[in-house]
Amino acid sequence: MTRVLRIIGLAVACGLAGASLTGCGSGAAGLADTETSQEMTRLRQILYKAPALPDGFSVRPRAAWRPPFKAADRDCRAVFDTAGGRAPTRALVAQAAATFQGDVLGEVAAVGLASYSGEEAEWHLKDLGKSLDGCPGLEAAKGTEFRESELPVGELGDEAVGAQFRGRLNGYPYALNLVLVRQGDTIISLVHTGLAKVDAKRTQSLARAVVGMAD
């Protein structure tokens, strides 16, 4: 599948689940502890201080997202893990992740933020885009299978890619939209889930809101 990478901008952070924050320090050698701490605090505030999400989403953050399926393919794991607070670690300064409940049955917005030193955010997004291309679908346990199609993402940050996954989870209809954005030194990942289908326009509104919060 051919995707267009658009010029956009964003920031990424290190380990946050629930209300806790964890330093990453892998590959970001040379940064003072105070710089890492400040970046972790910034990312935490983005997700935990009254996030400006679209109507219908709780502003009360929950623990980082964990995919309800086990992707055997490494490319698929890479793109899904990023939204759950397990972003690529090379030159990672800090990361944070949380989920927000929607008012549609089965609807969840999972947001991951990861901040990098140097120009690594740009390279990581390119790698994640390739991984997304390498994940045209996935099969996990019996009754769990998804197929991918392109998701238009519009103008987001400095660069952005997106995809839709539709299929069955343990035999039941399930869908998710995935958006990856780079804004400056930050990578923002968003997974928007639902039963049977997920509205692409609502996903785009979510993505714009998250990018605006991280700007």
Side-chain angles (χ1 to χ4, degrees), residues 10 15 23 26 30 50 77 83 86 93 97 99 104 111 148 153 169 186 197 205:
L10 173 77
S26 56
R77 284 200 309 272
R86 299 179 302 282
V93 176
T99 56
V104 178
V111 181
E148 182 213 14
V153 294
L169 175 66
T186 302
K197 66 179 181 178
S205 296

Side-chain angles (χ1 to χ4, degrees), residues 101-108 173-175 192-198:
Q101 195 72 35
D103 60 2
V104 178
L105 184 63
E107 185 178 38
V108 170
Y174 187 79
H192 182 200
T193 73
L195 300 182
K197 66 179 181 178
V198 180

Side-chain angles (χ1 to χ4, degrees), residues 73-76 78-79 126-136:
D73 184 87
R74 183 170 61 182
D75 284 330
C76 295
V79 293
K126 285 183 178 7
D127 289 342
L128 288 169
K130 291 177 183 177
S131 292
L132 199 54
D133 281 337
C135 182

